[in-house]
């Protein structure tokens, strides 16, 4: 670290469950010499707890989205099947109606012939 003069920062957990951001920086004297390092600790336990809570909530939402997408796909498939069935039934009903009308017309003609 002292060789590169770069600032290093990372998050670490303590044994008691708390989290900290640790920053290690070169210490410069007033005459601009490097004479050690400065280490700072900033507690970020609350932020890490919120991050974990948000990650869990996101996971639940993604799962629900996946489930609902699958349900929507199934509903769309069922809708297509029902539309096809409706078309077939409407044609069948139209054919039966036409046959019934023809039968009535034939019956009416037969009754007229008898009278």
């Amino acid at each position: 670290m002292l060789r590169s003069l770069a600032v290093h920062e990372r998050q670490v957990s303590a044994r008691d469950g708390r989290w900290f951001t640790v920053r290690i920086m070169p210490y410069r004297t007033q005459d601009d010499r490097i004479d050690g390092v400065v280490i700072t600790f900033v507690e970020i336990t609350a932020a890490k707890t919120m991050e974990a809570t948000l990650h869990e909530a996101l996971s639940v939402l993604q799962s629900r989205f996946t489930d609902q997408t699958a349900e929507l796909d199934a509903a769309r498939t069922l809708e297509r099947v029902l539309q096809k069935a409706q078309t077939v039934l409407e044609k069948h009903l139209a054919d039966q109606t036409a046959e019934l009308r023809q039968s009535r017309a034939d019956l009416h003609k037969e009754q007229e012939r008898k009278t």
Side-chain angles (χ1 to χ4, degrees), residues 13-76:
S13 62
R15 290 185 186 144
D16 63 2
R18 293 180 299 158
W19 280 86
F20 296 88
T21 294
V22 178
R23 181 178 294 139
I24 303 171
M25 301 174 293
Y27 172 74
R28 292 182 185 269
T29 63
Q30 287 183 342
D31 58 349
D32 204 25
R33 275 187 319 111
I34 303 300
D35 192 22
V37 295
V38 176
I39 302 173
T40 59
F41 294 84
V42 178
E43 185 175 1
I44 58 168
T45 305
K48 289 298 268 187
T49 301
M50 280 191 261
E51 180 183 4
T53 301
L54 288 173
H55 182 70
E56 184 178 328
L58 178 61
S59 178
V60 168
L61 287 173
Q62 286 173 328
S63 177
R64 288 177 60 189
F65 177 79
T66 300
D67 292 346
Q68 288 178 351
T69 299
E71 290 172 8
L72 181 59
D73 289 344
R76 286 181 177 151

